[in-house]
Amino acid sequence: LIWQGEGEDEVEVYTYQRLHREVCRAANMLRSLGVKRGDRVVFYLPMIPQLAIGMLACARIGAIHCVVFSGLSAEALRDRIEGSGARVVVAANYGVRSGKTLHLKEICDKALEACPQVEACVVVRRLDEPTPLAPGRDAWWDELVAAQPAECEAVPMGSNDPLFILFT
């Protein structure tokens, strides 16, 4: 996996081995939040490596992921959280698109005001800027993932088990 951000200096390279370790750590992080087979996880992230890692982590533990375009409003995000039945949301603190900064965590917080079923919001630190975290609900991705082992057995799944929910 080779990711390049807005600027030429923003490049991340993941070998298969590195990607596998990060997916296992993310899967273990989701498990530590109570996510299990059949649970739903909403991703409100820009196109960053943690999006692919999170989707693969969900597949590894049998959770169902739902990716929400980071350009959508708080109301649209709320509808997708409610519609999917997600109890965990993964959001970036900020996004960058065409040189503009998007306040994704702020939008996510507005959506979560109407989603009391959400127990945890994992926040990816996209920009090193001040970001309010809701006590008891929000935590930083990098801190949660760093504490997890790099091995995670894949959950056996049936051929008809759902992998993702896509709102169109």
Side-chain angles (χ1 to χ4, degrees):
L1 174 67
I2 301 172
W3 172 80
Q4 182 171 351
E6 287 274 318
E8 290 183 20
D9 59 332
E10 262 191 319
V11 177
E12 288 279 336
V13 177
Y14 290 80
T15 62
Y16 180 81
Q17 183 180 29
R18 180 181 178 203
L19 182 60
H20 176 75
R21 281 194 310 262
E22 293 303 315
V23 167
C24 287
R25 282 191 177 101
N28 287 324
M29 176 267 295
L30 291 171
R31 279 185 171 159
S32 77
L33 298 173
V35 177
K36 59 190 180 317
R37 180 181 172 156
D39 287 346
R40 280 98 170 154
V41 178
V42 164
F43 290 91
Y44 187 60
L45 297 173
M47 297 295 286
I48 57 176
Q50 290 83 359
L51 179 56
I53 290 166
M55 291 166 49
L56 291 168
C58 284
R60 191 147 196 91
I61 62 174
I64 302 164
H65 69 268
C66 175
V67 175
V68 177
F69 171 58
S70 62
L72 293 182
S73 68
E75 295 77 20
L77 175 59
R78 179 204 63 219
D79 291 346
R80 284 150 180 81
I81 293 168
E82 288 177 344
S84 67
R87 292 183 305 110
V88 174
V89 174
V90 179
N93 63 343
Y94 294 92
V96 179
R97 185 175 310 120
S98 301
K100 295 180 181 171
T101 301
L102 308 174
H103 297 260
L104 299 181
K105 178 65 168 58
E106 185 179 308
I107 294 167
C108 185
D109 284 343
K110 286 179 187 169
L112 292 178
E113 288 174 5
C115 299
Q117 78 280 6
V118 173
E119 300 166 3
C121 180
V122 180
V123 183
V124 175
R125 197 181 322 257
R126 175 68 179 98
L127 296 179
D128 195 20
E129 296 288 333
T131 305
L133 298 181
R137 184 194 71 193
D138 299 353
W140 292 112
W141 168 286
D142 54 345
E143 293 174 7
L144 292 175
V145 168
Q148 299 301 323
E151 290 299 325
C152 179
E153 284 294 317
V155 171
M157 301 294 290
S159 61
N160 290 326
D161 289 335
L163 174 65
F164 63 89
I165 296 171
L166 178 63
F167 286 85
T168 59

